[in-house]
Amino acid sequence: MKLKTWLTVAATALTIFAAQAQEMSNDEIADRIKPLGKVHVAGAAAQGDTAAAGGAKSGEDIYNSACVACHSAGVLGAPKFQVAADWQPRLDDRGLDGVWKNAINGINAMPPMGTCGNCSEDDIKAAIEYMIEGI
Ligand code: HEC
């Protein structure tokens, strides 16, 4: 086959293919993408279950999403991340359980649960342990 003939055949095939693609109705397109959508939703639901069970989040994750805004720079007098001078007096005074209780209930400018709406009390403890790690 000569090149020019081959090109004509290829162009014709492309034209037919493009015309067919355009004939796909919205319903057909929706049908084709539906299974993917289902898989995605199922995945998101599964993730939600794990988070609700409290298994998926580490103290580091919680700190970075809920506590970092205040505890990194010490906003409003918040004890700063892994700064012993900020944390030690509090730990000496009331221990880990005492500061944990205050984090759950809130104390002064420290909001209850550190504003983490979907954290369990154990999640809060994990975040505190991360904040005082190595001090
Ligand atoms: C809006 C700012 C803010 C956010 C967000 C925040 N904190 Fe605090 N936090 C504070 C401030 C301010 C204090 C100091 C309160 C005081 O002793 O007067 C504090 C104190 C604490 C203390 C010490 C309590 C005590 O008894 O001395 C713990 C523990 C604590 N926060 C944990 C957390 C955790 C865990 C998170 C995230 C889940 C969090 N905080 C999020 C502002 C914040």
Side-chain angles (χ1 to χ4, degrees):
M1 206 190 286
K2 281 187 188 161
L3 180 62
K4 196 176 169 192
T5 320
W6 188 88
L7 279 175
T8 311
V9 171
T12 311
L14 263 177
T15 311
I16 293 168
F17 178 80
Q20 275 180 348
Q22 276 173 1
E23 276 165 22
M24 263 180 82
S25 71
N26 283 345
D27 281 353
E28 282 171 321
I29 294 167
D31 241 28
R32 283 204 180 180
I33 61 176
K34 201 163 59 185
L36 265 180
K38 274 188 183 158
V39 168
H40 183 72
V41 170
Q47 270 183 359
D49 287 351
T50 325
K57 290 181 289 188
S58 69
E60 183 176 355
D61 290 341
I62 295 157
Y63 170 78
N64 282 322
S65 60
C67 324
V68 69
C70 296
H71 283 271
S72 166
V75 173
L76 303 167
K80 290 188 283 299
F81 178 72
Q82 291 179 0
V83 172
D86 286 3
W87 282 101
Q88 205 58 62
R90 294 168 186 270
L91 294 170
D92 287 347
D93 188 48
R94 41 195 173 274
L96 178 59
D97 280 355
V99 296
W100 180 28
K101 207 166 148 242
N102 283 340
I104 291 167
N105 297 323
I107 171 175
N108 301 324
M110 162 73 198
M113 303 297 278
T115 67
C116 181
N118 60 354
C119 281
S120 69
E121 295 184 356
D122 283 342
D123 289 339
I124 297 296
K125 188 173 194 175
I128 297 170
E129 280 167 348
Y130 178 65
M131 277 199 274
I132 62 175
E133 209 172 77
I135 69 169

